[in-house]
Amino acid sequence: MARTGDRESPVARQILGLQVVVVLTLVVTAVALAAYDARRDTRDGARDQALAVARSMADSPTVRGAVLTPDAGPTPVLQPYAEEVRRDTDTDFVVVMDLDRVRWTHPNPHEIGRRFVGDVGGAPQGRDFSQEFAGTLGPSVRAVVPVVADDDRVVALVAVGITVDRIDQRLLEDLPGILLAALVTLGAGLVGAWLISRRLRRQTHGMGEQEITRMYEYYRAVLGAVREGLLLVDHERRVQLVNDESRRLLALPDDVVGRRLDELDLPPDLVAAVHDESTLEDQSYVLGQQVLVFSTAPAYWGGAGVGAVLTVRDRTELQTVTGELDLVRGLTESLRAQNHEAANRLHSVVSLVEMGRPEEAVDFATEELQVAQALTDEVVTAVDEPVLAALLLGKTAQAAERGIELDVEGELAADLPLDSRDLVTVVGNLLDNAFDAVAAGSDRRVAVRLSGDARELVVEVDDSGPGIAPEDAARVLERGWSTKAADGRGLGLAIVAQTVARHGGRLEVGTAPLGGARFTVDVTGEAS
């Protein structure tokens, strides 16, 4: 950003200056055109007026009678009449002359008897004629009309003129109205320019064009460089800014800018948080094949809310590693529990020996070994997949430590539609979910039924927990169901659903005979 001392002129002020120049130019141009048009109209009006007066004069019986009188001449009759017409019609001269252009009348009596100055055009031939010419009274707009006798002979000519000075005086009388209209237009234009500048200043926050350019370039560079997805929405929850990472993670369409957030197939809880202008931090959702972490917070500028900011991070690989770590941790806890139990049994055996009762010690050790070996043989015989067998043995020990009765039934072949990693993910998350469901109750029972070969795999996990409410049954596996759900189920089940869907299988939720929830996984070999 520019230093305070070197702060450039805001864009709004620059545009205001440009608008003022444009408005002034337009108004001055309009006034010049209006004045030119008014001058042309005034001269055309003067020409029409002179022509009308000349025709009326030529058609007057007084003029006809005077020019045909063979006495001392028509001047004594025509001069007073011509002057009267001149004054009444507000013209500058009314001249009656013979065909040789010798004046019989003139406003200046000294000009009577002299030749008319100027052209008469086709008037001697019976045609009207008009022109602008500088005569004895100065430049004028004049019209010359023939006086025609009853036998259609042209016997005299009548010239009527209006000086340019008088025409310009008429134009000056019209100019105040033109200038008033120009001032009103100028004022309206300046007020409009000021209002536009004020709005633009508010929208650009008083920044200059270089500041805006730098901000745009830097922001675009930052948005493209960050590894987090970023969306900015306005008060109407319409997307106004989105970076490439958001488009990739959320599979957003090209025309996402301007669309409402609830049209983008995002998790409902996330959309509701943005709508309520509340803060949401690091909420995990499963979208398609990805585990994403969302955060949202209201956005402010100058203390006023301008919308909300939504960030998204890809946690798929981390979640996979975390899941595997959880499985390892579970196995470790199981081994710890078995080690603790083995230590207790060994202590009991040693104590019996010290008490001089070796036979009972041998019987106790043999019985415990047979029970453990029987459980191991049962699981290993039923499950040919060694990794899953190890998981089930560990979960059995973990269940025993937590006071949960775990029942494993069924038989699995070595060749299954799911590989060992996905199989452990599915069964491990379903068992963890079941353990959590029964942890708070007095009746703690979990049952696992396994059946499958290369053609089809079926896994059923039942629990005696509180079950799933009917209104949540359809939502528990919904894409993007939050880990913050009240019953504790969420991301683990979503990962199971994601894994099963990737192999073309089905994950169904129902009610178990034990009273709690039943989760059924069905994957066929053809789909995989």
Side-chain angles (χ1 to χ4, degrees):
M1 295 296 178
R3 297 188 302 273
T4 304
D6 300 333
R7 186 173 178 84
E8 59 186 320
S9 177
V11 171
R13 183 179 301 170
Q14 297 180 35
I15 293 182
L16 175 61
L18 293 175
Q19 288 177 323
V20 170
V21 172
V22 171
V23 170
L24 287 174
T25 302
L26 291 176
V27 170
V28 170
T29 303
V31 169
L33 292 176
Y36 174 78
D37 187 65
R39 181 176 180 275
R40 185 182 59 183
D41 291 343
T42 303
R43 291 179 180 253
D44 290 343
R47 183 178 290 104
D48 294 340
Q49 180 185 357
L51 187 59
V53 173
R55 286 173 179 173
S56 298
M57 190 75 176
D59 293 338
S60 172
T62 302
V63 175
R64 288 183 179 180
V67 299
L68 294 175
T69 301
D71 295 335
T75 297
V77 175
L78 293 180
Q79 176 67 11
Y81 181 67
E83 286 300 297
E84 182 179 1
V85 170
R86 181 182 65 81
R87 289 190 297 269
D88 293 342
T89 57
D90 197 23
T91 55
D92 289 300
F93 66 84
V94 177
V95 175
V96 182
M97 69 190 89
D98 60 17
L99 295 179
D100 294 330
R101 298 194 298 178
V102 176
R103 301 187 188 100
W104 288 327
T105 65
H106 195 276
N108 183 0
H110 297 289
E111 296 293 333
I112 296 175
R114 297 180 180 178
R115 292 180 62 83
F116 178 75
V117 179
D119 297 332
V120 294
Q125 288 77 40
R127 297 188 301 271
D128 296 341
F129 173 74
S130 61
Q131 70 171 169
E132 184 175 337
F133 190 82
T136 57
L137 298 180
S140 62
V141 174
R142 56 183 62 186
V144 182
V145 175
V147 179
V148 182
D150 294 337
D151 56 1
D152 294 333
R153 290 181 302 108
V154 176
V155 296
L157 302 175
V158 176
V160 177
I162 302 175
T163 61
V164 173
D165 291 341
R166 183 185 293 270
I167 295 174
D168 291 342
Q169 183 63 36
R170 294 179 182 179
L171 177 60
L172 292 176
E173 294 174 356
D174 295 334
L175 282 180
I178 297 176
L179 294 177
L180 178 61
L183 290 176
V184 172
T185 303
L186 178 61
L190 293 178
V191 170
W194 178 77
L195 292 175
I196 294 175
S197 172
R198 182 181 178 185
R199 178 179 177 84
L200 186 61
R201 178 187 295 272
R202 185 166 59 250
Q203 292 179 336
T204 58
H205 304 288
M207 294 186 293
E209 76 276 7
Q210 295 182 5
E211 290 178 283
I212 296 175
T213 301
R214 283 194 297 270
M215 180 179 294
Y216 176 79
E217 293 174 348
Y218 294 163
Y219 283 9
R220 293 299 299 181
V222 170
L223 289 177
V226 296
R227 299 188 63 184
E228 290 188 355
L230 181 65
L231 290 92
L232 273 66
V233 296
D234 58 17
H235 286 299
E236 297 181 356
R237 308 301 171 253
R238 296 187 182 277
V239 177
Q240 298 299 329
L241 183 64
V242 58
N243 65 350
D244 294 337
E245 187 67 7
S246 291
R247 294 179 184 273
R248 184 186 69 83
L249 294 176
L250 303 179
L252 298 176
D254 295 336
D255 60 345
V256 63
V257 176
R259 297 181 61 176
R260 293 182 59 85
L261 202 62
D262 51 13
E263 299 176 0
L264 302 180
D265 197 22
L266 297 178
D269 293 343
L270 181 66
V271 176
V274 176
H275 185 272
D276 296 337
E277 297 185 357
S278 58
T279 300
L280 200 65
E281 295 183 358
D282 297 337
Q283 299 296 299
S284 299
Y285 296 89
V286 176
L287 297 182
Q289 306 299 323
Q290 302 176 89
V291 179
L292 304 179
V293 178
F294 289 90
S295 298
T296 180
Y300 298 93
W301 180 279
V306 295
V309 179
L310 188 151
T311 60
V312 54
R313 301 190 302 276
D314 190 355
R315 194 181 167 187
T316 305
E317 295 182 2
L318 178 61
Q319 184 62 39
T320 301
V321 174
T322 302
E324 294 178 352
L325 179 61
D326 289 340
L327 292 176
V328 173
R329 184 182 294 111
L331 292 175
T332 303
E333 290 294 327
S334 299
L335 293 175
R336 183 194 60 79
Q338 293 180 25
N339 180 62
H340 179 72
E341 187 66 20
N344 289 336
R345 292 169 182 168
L346 181 60
H347 180 70
S348 298
V349 171
V350 172
S351 297
L352 287 173
V353 172
E354 290 177 350
M355 292 171 60
R357 305 169 70 175
E359 295 83 1
E360 295 181 12
V362 172
D363 292 340
F364 176 77
T366 303
E367 181 183 356
E368 290 298 324
L369 180 61
Q370 289 176 346
V371 172
Q373 187 62 42
L375 177 61
T376 302
D377 292 342
E378 179 183 355
V379 173
V380 172
T381 301
V383 180
D384 289 343
E385 171 58 54
V387 178
L388 180 59
L391 173 69
L392 291 176
L393 286 174
K395 290 296 181 182
T396 301
Q398 184 180 355
E401 185 180 20
R402 297 176 63 177
I404 299 173
E405 179 184 342
L406 176 60
D407 182 22
V408 180
E409 299 178 0
E411 184 176 350
L412 285 180
D415 188 12
L416 297 171
L418 295 182
D419 58 26
S420 59
R421 180 176 179 178
D422 289 338
L423 187 59
V424 168
T425 297
V426 171
V427 177
N429 278 292
L430 289 179
L431 285 175
D432 288 340
N433 180 75
F435 288 172
D436 291 339
V438 302
S442 58
D443 183 11
R444 303 179 180 182
R445 291 178 294 161
V446 175
V448 182
R449 279 175 293 279
L450 306 170
S451 64
D453 50 25
R455 293 173 297 178
E456 184 178 14
L457 168 67
V458 178
V459 178
E460 290 184 350
V461 177
D462 296 350
D463 64 65
S464 60
I468 298 175
E471 60 271 16
D472 290 335
R475 192 166 176 245
V476 66
L477 300 178
E478 182 182 68
R479 185 173 106 168
W481 207 59
S482 172
T483 57
K484 302 299 182 180
D487 57 8
R489 299 174 175 84
L491 193 59
L493 294 177
I495 292 176
V496 172
Q498 170 188 321
T499 303
V500 172
R502 189 170 67 248
H503 290 273
R506 294 181 294 108
L507 174 58
E508 298 178 352
V509 182
T511 302
L514 300 179
R518 165 177 287 183
F519 291 88
T520 303
V521 173
D522 188 351
V523 180
T524 60
E526 291 79 1
S528 62

